[in-house]
Amino acid sequence: DYGWDDTPDSLDTIQFDYDKEFKLSEDGRVALHELLKAKPYSVGRVGAGGRFSHEYDNFVILLHEVNALSAFKKLVMEGTKPAQVFGLIGLKIKNPELIEKYKTIISKSDKEIVVHGGCTWSNEKVTSLIYGKRVNYNWSEENLARRYQWLEENHKLFKVIGI
């Protein structure tokens, strides 16, 4: 033992119990599939055209699923680092008491992820995205509901996100 063995990040120690056979709508299944493999953490409007990110739209769809809590727990347990953040934010919105219970563990995390916001890219600590001073308007109940309504009325596979 040379003293440099890898100790797991505190986020990797979180264990959620959930029904692994939970059901989602077709749109919810596509959204979960896409978010599990998310590479950047991007929310709101991104890129030169200012379009809503696929990740944000997929998150909004999952948020409105009957079994959203199980889907968000799965993101934390099985997803990429950005997927974990989406899962934690989803749980924070849907079940703030649960995330409060894990605050000590989450706040000790040293994980950083690539964040895409607007036209810029940066590295951010997961803890700052969950508990930081940067308040993101995209997570307001009003904005999430408005985006969901737009997706229901206009999107392909609401009619299939990301395809």
Side-chain angles (χ1 to χ4, degrees), residues 70-152:
S70 290
F72 290 134
K73 288 176 181 178
K74 183 175 178 112
L75 287 172
V76 174
M77 300 297 295
E78 299 178 22
T80 60
K81 289 180 193 178
Q84 288 180 322
V85 174
F86 281 111
L88 290 168
I89 289 172
L91 290 169
K92 185 177 178 184
I93 291 169
K94 295 294 268 186
N95 189 344
E97 299 82 27
L98 177 64
I99 289 303
E100 191 60 34
K101 179 180 163 185
Y102 285 92
K103 187 172 185 172
T104 305
I105 294 171
I106 295 167
S107 63
K108 289 180 183 174
S109 174
D110 288 326
K111 278 190 182 183
E112 286 191 1
I113 62 171
V114 175
V115 175
H116 184 197
C119 293
T120 62
W121 296 83
S122 62
N123 288 328
E124 300 273 342
K125 282 198 167 208
V126 167
T127 53
S128 70
L129 297 169
I130 309 284
Y131 300 115
K133 296 177 182 178
R134 246 177 46 176
V135 176
N136 193 326
Y137 80 95
N138 293 304
W139 303 126
S140 77
E141 192 174 322
E142 179 185 347
N143 286 331
L144 291 165
R146 189 177 321 127
R147 186 64 184 162
Y148 184 75
Q149 181 180 0
W150 185 91
L151 288 167
E152 276 188 308

Side-chain angles (χ1 to χ4, degrees), residues 19-59:
D19 174 15
K20 300 204 178 4
E21 302 298 318
F22 65 93
K23 304 282 187 240
L24 296 173
S25 70
E26 184 177 352
D27 299 316
R29 286 192 306 274
V30 171
L32 178 61
H33 175 75
E34 292 297 312
L35 275 179
L36 279 167
K37 59 184 183 174
K39 291 295 181 206
Y41 171 80
S42 58
V43 297
R45 296 184 181 276
V46 296
R51 65 161 176 76
F52 277 96
S53 73
H54 292 298
E55 294 83 9
Y56 182 71
D57 285 348
N58 287 320
F59 175 84

